[in-house]
Amino acid sequence: MKKLVIFASGSGSNFQAIIDAIARNELEAQIAGLITNRDETGAAGRAISNNIPVTVIKDSDPVMLNEKLEAQLSAWNPDLIILAGFLNKIPDKIVRKYHGRIINIHPSLLPKYGGKGFYGMKVHQAVLNSGDKITGCTVHYVNDEYDKGDIIEQSHVEIHPTDTAEKLAARVLKAEHQLLPRVIKKLLT
Ligand code: GRF
């Protein structure tokens, strides 16, 4: 059975989409654990409710942080690492070690509206301000630059004239919940 490790520090709805896809037998995989960098996240609550091991890893010293993350990843030995709402940058050493096995989901059609500072509602507000008619979400490989790794797959979402950033965010998030498990399945098979 292929093993996944999820990094999430938000509400964890994408993490939940992975849990649900496994429960529905649409995805043949096991979630070895969740890594979060904040106490009491929605994501951690979902891990606990689903009996998935969860660990909070944070350290202001980058060397220590890298060591702690590497130790946990070695223990869980994942086939694929999924960043699903994890704002912090993954240390370069880990990106190199797991090259081609770390993916991220981003709520825009990259390369548009990506990079440092483009997260959460800021992305959707920028999309609305631009006058674009279409937005969406992207799953991409993680490299050493924010949101710059090779794109694996995208989903498109129409922008309605009455959209607010919140309304758009909700529709994009729904598309994310479809896209992420589908891409994971593709990469594991
Ligand atoms: C998603 O919009 C994802 O694209 C971004 O962070 C958000 C996480 O949402 N990277 P959730 O915690 O999965 O609900």
Side-chain angles (χ1 to χ4, degrees):
M1 183 79 83
K2 294 285 168 79
K3 280 202 275 179
L4 312 177
V5 166
I6 319 294
F7 282 67
S9 47
S11 85
S13 70
N14 277 289
F15 173 41
Q16 186 71 51
I18 301 167
I19 295 171
D20 293 345
I22 293 173
R24 288 197 300 264
N25 292 319
E26 288 167 12
L27 185 60
E28 205 180 313
Q30 180 205 340
I31 302 177
L34 170 78
I35 295 177
T36 179
N37 60 358
R38 293 197 299 121
D39 298 314
E40 294 177 23
T41 58
R46 293 175 198 269
I48 293 161
S49 319
N50 288 279
N51 293 316
I52 294 168
V54 51
T55 175
V56 181
I57 299 184
K58 49 186 175 180
D59 203 303
S60 50
D61 174 359
V63 177
M64 285 307 294
L65 178 67
N66 185 74
E67 262 182 35
K68 289 178 185 174
L69 287 172
E70 270 202 273
Q72 187 59 73
L73 287 172
S74 297
W76 282 338
N77 191 26
D79 296 287
L80 191 63
I81 297 170
I82 298 138
L83 312 188
F86 192 76
L87 284 186
N88 285 17
K89 210 157 170 287
I90 301 297
D92 287 353
K93 222 178 141 195
I94 292 180
V95 171
R96 280 197 299 275
K97 181 167 173 187
Y98 291 90
H99 178 76
R101 287 192 288 150
I102 312 183
I103 63 172
N104 177 49
I105 182 147
H106 184 80
S108 76
L109 293 175
L110 290 174
K112 284 179 133 185
Y113 314 109
K116 207 169 175 8
F118 276 119
Y119 59 87
M121 228 35 90
K122 288 177 201 276
V123 174
H124 303 292
Q125 195 55 60
V127 169
L128 285 182
N129 294 346
S130 73
D132 287 359
K133 298 281 181 279
I134 296 278
T135 185
C137 47
T138 302
V139 178
H140 65 93
Y141 287 109
V142 171
N143 67 8
D144 54 356
E145 278 184 279
Y146 273 113
D147 302 328
K148 287 277 174 63
D150 289 347
I151 292 172
I152 305 168
E153 209 175 308
Q154 298 182 310
S155 274
H156 292 76
V157 173
E158 246 180 64
I159 301 168
H160 302 160
T162 53
D163 269 339
T164 58
E166 288 75 17
K167 281 188 191 170
L168 191 56
R171 280 209 315 290
V172 171
L173 195 58
K174 271 195 178 172
E176 293 183 42
H177 298 162
Q178 304 290 318
L179 179 67
L180 186 57
R182 188 168 80 229
V183 171
I184 295 171
K185 185 175 181 173
K186 183 166 113 179
L187 295 179
L188 293 183
T189 49

PDB file of all heavy atoms in Angstrom, residues 10-15 84-86 104-107 173 176, ligand 1:
ATOM      1  N   GLY A  10      -4.211  24.488   7.946  1.00  0.00           N
ATOM      2  CA  GLY A  10      -5.434  25.285   7.885  1.00  0.00           C
ATOM      3  C   GLY A  10      -6.629  24.454   8.315  1.00  0.00           C
ATOM      4  O   GLY A  10      -6.513  23.607   9.201  1.00  0.00           O
ATOM      5  N   SER A  11      -7.748  24.692   7.637  1.00  0.00           N
ATOM      6  CA  SER A  11      -8.967  23.979   8.025  1.00  0.00           C
ATOM      7  C   SER A  11      -8.881  22.493   7.668  1.00  0.00           C
ATOM      8  O   SER A  11      -9.574  21.668   8.251  1.00  0.00           O
ATOM      9  CB  SER A  11     -10.184  24.613   7.352  1.00  0.00           C
ATOM     10  OG  SER A  11     -10.345  24.067   6.061  1.00  0.00           O
ATOM     11  N   GLY A  12      -8.068  22.182   6.672  1.00  0.00           N
ATOM     12  CA  GLY A  12      -7.855  20.771   6.344  1.00  0.00           C
ATOM     13  C   GLY A  12      -8.936  20.170   5.461  1.00  0.00           C
ATOM     14  O   GLY A  12      -9.081  18.950   5.408  1.00  0.00           O
ATOM     15  N   SER A  13      -9.667  21.006   4.709  1.00  0.00           N
ATOM     16  CA  SER A  13     -10.724  20.414   3.882  1.00  0.00           C
ATOM     17  C   SER A  13     -10.135  19.598   2.721  1.00  0.00           C
ATOM     18  O   SER A  13     -10.728  18.604   2.304  1.00  0.00           O
ATOM     19  CB  SER A  13     -11.699  21.479   3.381  1.00  0.00           C
ATOM     20  OG  SER A  13     -11.094  22.303   2.427  1.00  0.00           O
ATOM     21  N   ASN A  14      -8.980  19.992   2.215  1.00  0.00           N
ATOM     22  CA  ASN A  14      -8.343  19.165   1.180  1.00  0.00           C
ATOM     23  C   ASN A  14      -7.824  17.851   1.760  1.00  0.00           C
ATOM     24  O   ASN A  14      -7.886  16.807   1.113  1.00  0.00           O
ATOM     25  CB  ASN A  14      -7.199  19.936   0.516  1.00  0.00           C
ATOM     26  CG  ASN A  14      -7.705  20.866  -0.573  1.00  0.00           C
ATOM     27  OD1 ASN A  14      -8.140  20.417  -1.624  1.00  0.00           O
ATOM     28  ND2 ASN A  14      -7.684  22.163  -0.293  1.00  0.00           N
ATOM     29  N   PHE A  15      -7.313  17.927   2.966  1.00  0.00           N
ATOM     30  CA  PHE A  15      -6.895  16.718   3.692  1.00  0.00           C
ATOM     31  C   PHE A  15      -8.103  15.792   3.830  1.00  0.00           C
ATOM     32  O   PHE A  15      -8.024  14.584   3.562  1.00  0.00           O
ATOM     33  CB  PHE A  15      -6.355  17.165   5.054  1.00  0.00           C
ATOM     34  CG  PHE A  15      -6.010  16.088   6.028  1.00  0.00           C
ATOM     35  CD1 PHE A  15      -5.363  14.930   5.643  1.00  0.00           C
ATOM     36  CD2 PHE A  15      -6.318  16.250   7.383  1.00  0.00           C
ATOM     37  CE1 PHE A  15      -5.041  13.949   6.576  1.00  0.00           C
ATOM     38  CE2 PHE A  15      -5.994  15.289   8.315  1.00  0.00           C
ATOM     39  CZ  PHE A  15      -5.361  14.129   7.910  1.00  0.00           C
ATOM     40  N   ALA A  84      -1.137  20.530   1.589  1.00  0.00           N
ATOM     41  CA  ALA A  84      -2.547  20.869   1.374  1.00  0.00           C
ATOM     42  C   ALA A  84      -2.905  21.995   2.337  1.00  0.00           C
ATOM     43  O   ALA A  84      -3.511  21.771   3.383  1.00  0.00           O
ATOM     44  CB  ALA A  84      -3.427  19.634   1.600  1.00  0.00           C
ATOM     45  N   GLY A  85      -2.455  23.201   1.998  1.00  0.00           N
ATOM     46  CA  GLY A  85      -2.723  24.329   2.880  1.00  0.00           C
ATOM     47  C   GLY A  85      -1.629  24.451   3.926  1.00  0.00           C
ATOM     48  O   GLY A  85      -1.891  24.540   5.118  1.00  0.00           O
ATOM     49  N   PHE A  86      -0.390  24.448   3.456  1.00  0.00           N
ATOM     50  CA  PHE A  86       0.758  24.574   4.358  1.00  0.00           C
ATOM     51  C   PHE A  86       1.547  25.782   3.886  1.00  0.00           C
ATOM     52  O   PHE A  86       2.122  25.770   2.796  1.00  0.00           O
ATOM     53  CB  PHE A  86       1.609  23.305   4.301  1.00  0.00           C
ATOM     54  CG  PHE A  86       2.630  23.215   5.387  1.00  0.00           C
ATOM     55  CD1 PHE A  86       2.263  22.877   6.683  1.00  0.00           C
ATOM     56  CD2 PHE A  86       3.968  23.462   5.115  1.00  0.00           C
ATOM     57  CE1 PHE A  86       3.205  22.790   7.692  1.00  0.00           C
ATOM     58  CE2 PHE A  86       4.925  23.379   6.131  1.00  0.00           C
ATOM     59  CZ  PHE A  86       4.536  23.039   7.415  1.00  0.00           C
ATOM     60  N   ASN A 104       1.954  20.177  -4.252  1.00  0.00           N
ATOM     61  CA  ASN A 104       1.230  21.229  -3.532  1.00  0.00           C
ATOM     62  C   ASN A 104      -0.034  21.557  -4.308  1.00  0.00           C
ATOM     63  O   ASN A 104      -0.056  21.450  -5.535  1.00  0.00           O
ATOM     64  CB  ASN A 104       2.121  22.481  -3.448  1.00  0.00           C
ATOM     65  CG  ASN A 104       1.429  23.654  -2.771  1.00  0.00           C
ATOM     66  OD1 ASN A 104       0.843  23.506  -1.688  1.00  0.00           O
ATOM     67  ND2 ASN A 104       1.465  24.814  -3.393  1.00  0.00           N
ATOM     68  N   ILE A 105      -1.084  21.968  -3.585  1.00  0.00           N
ATOM     69  CA  ILE A 105      -2.280  22.474  -4.267  1.00  0.00           C
ATOM     70  C   ILE A 105      -2.383  23.966  -4.020  1.00  0.00           C
ATOM     71  O   ILE A 105      -2.182  24.441  -2.895  1.00  0.00           O
ATOM     72  CB  ILE A 105      -3.556  21.715  -3.870  1.00  0.00           C
ATOM     73  CG1 ILE A 105      -4.751  22.273  -4.675  1.00  0.00           C
ATOM     74  CG2 ILE A 105      -3.840  21.743  -2.373  1.00  0.00           C
ATOM     75  CD1 ILE A 105      -5.797  21.255  -5.007  1.00  0.00           C
ATOM     76  N   HIS A 106      -2.679  24.698  -5.109  1.00  0.00           N
ATOM     77  CA  HIS A 106      -2.742  26.163  -5.036  1.00  0.00           C
ATOM     78  C   HIS A 106      -4.051  26.634  -5.669  1.00  0.00           C
ATOM     79  O   HIS A 106      -4.441  26.130  -6.723  1.00  0.00           O
ATOM     80  CB  HIS A 106      -1.538  26.754  -5.780  1.00  0.00           C
ATOM     81  CG  HIS A 106      -1.466  28.240  -5.666  1.00  0.00           C
ATOM     82  ND1 HIS A 106      -0.961  28.875  -4.548  1.00  0.00           N
ATOM     83  CD2 HIS A 106      -1.867  29.217  -6.509  1.00  0.00           C
ATOM     84  CE1 HIS A 106      -1.056  30.185  -4.718  1.00  0.00           C
ATOM     85  NE2 HIS A 106      -1.611  30.419  -5.893  1.00  0.00           N
ATOM     86  N   PRO A 107      -4.714  27.638  -5.056  1.00  0.00           N
ATOM     87  CA  PRO A 107      -6.044  28.013  -5.542  1.00  0.00           C
ATOM     88  C   PRO A 107      -6.058  29.035  -6.680  1.00  0.00           C
ATOM     89  O   PRO A 107      -6.828  30.002  -6.628  1.00  0.00           O
ATOM     90  CB  PRO A 107      -6.711  28.572  -4.281  1.00  0.00           C
ATOM     91  CG  PRO A 107      -5.585  29.186  -3.534  1.00  0.00           C
ATOM     92  CD  PRO A 107      -4.362  28.346  -3.822  1.00  0.00           C
ATOM     93  N   LEU A 173     -12.464  25.996  -3.993  1.00  0.00           N
ATOM     94  CA  LEU A 173     -12.148  24.951  -3.002  1.00  0.00           C
ATOM     95  C   LEU A 173     -12.847  23.637  -3.364  1.00  0.00           C
ATOM     96  O   LEU A 173     -12.251  22.561  -3.258  1.00  0.00           O
ATOM     97  CB  LEU A 173     -12.569  25.425  -1.596  1.00  0.00           C
ATOM     98  CG  LEU A 173     -11.993  24.641  -0.421  1.00  0.00           C
ATOM     99  CD1 LEU A 173     -10.469  24.637  -0.424  1.00  0.00           C
ATOM    100  CD2 LEU A 173     -12.490  25.225   0.906  1.00  0.00           C
ATOM    101  N   GLU A 176     -10.896  22.055  -5.927  1.00  0.00           N
ATOM    102  CA  GLU A 176      -9.670  21.493  -5.344  1.00  0.00           C
ATOM    103  C   GLU A 176      -9.924  20.094  -4.795  1.00  0.00           C
ATOM    104  O   GLU A 176      -9.111  19.182  -4.946  1.00  0.00           O
ATOM    105  CB  GLU A 176      -9.150  22.392  -4.211  1.00  0.00           C
ATOM    106  CG  GLU A 176      -8.658  23.738  -4.669  1.00  0.00           C
ATOM    107  CD  GLU A 176      -8.092  24.559  -3.525  1.00  0.00           C
ATOM    108  OE1 GLU A 176      -7.378  24.015  -2.682  1.00  0.00           O
ATOM    109  OE2 GLU A 176      -8.375  25.776  -3.472  1.00  0.00           O
TER     110      GLU A 176
HETATM  111  C1  GRF B   1      -6.471  25.714  -0.280  1.00  0.00           C
HETATM  112  O1  GRF B   1      -7.123  26.738  -0.966  1.00  0.00           O
HETATM  113  C2  GRF B   1      -5.182  25.341  -0.969  1.00  0.00           C
HETATM  114  O2  GRF B   1      -5.220  25.525  -2.356  1.00  0.00           O
HETATM  115  C3  GRF B   1      -4.199  26.300  -0.355  1.00  0.00           C
HETATM  116  O3  GRF B   1      -4.597  26.407   0.984  1.00  0.00           O
HETATM  117  C4  GRF B   1      -5.995  26.142   1.094  1.00  0.00           C
HETATM  118  C5  GRF B   1      -6.173  25.081   2.139  1.00  0.00           C
HETATM  119  O4  GRF B   1      -7.530  24.879   2.427  1.00  0.00           O
HETATM  120  N1  GRF B   1      -2.836  25.887  -0.533  1.00  0.00           N
HETATM  121  P1  GRF B   1      -7.957  23.676   3.385  1.00  0.00           P
HETATM  122  O5  GRF B   1      -7.193  23.832   4.674  1.00  0.00           O
HETATM  123  O6  GRF B   1      -7.622  22.401   2.662  1.00  0.00           O
HETATM  124  O7  GRF B   1      -9.437  23.847   3.582  1.00  0.00           O
END
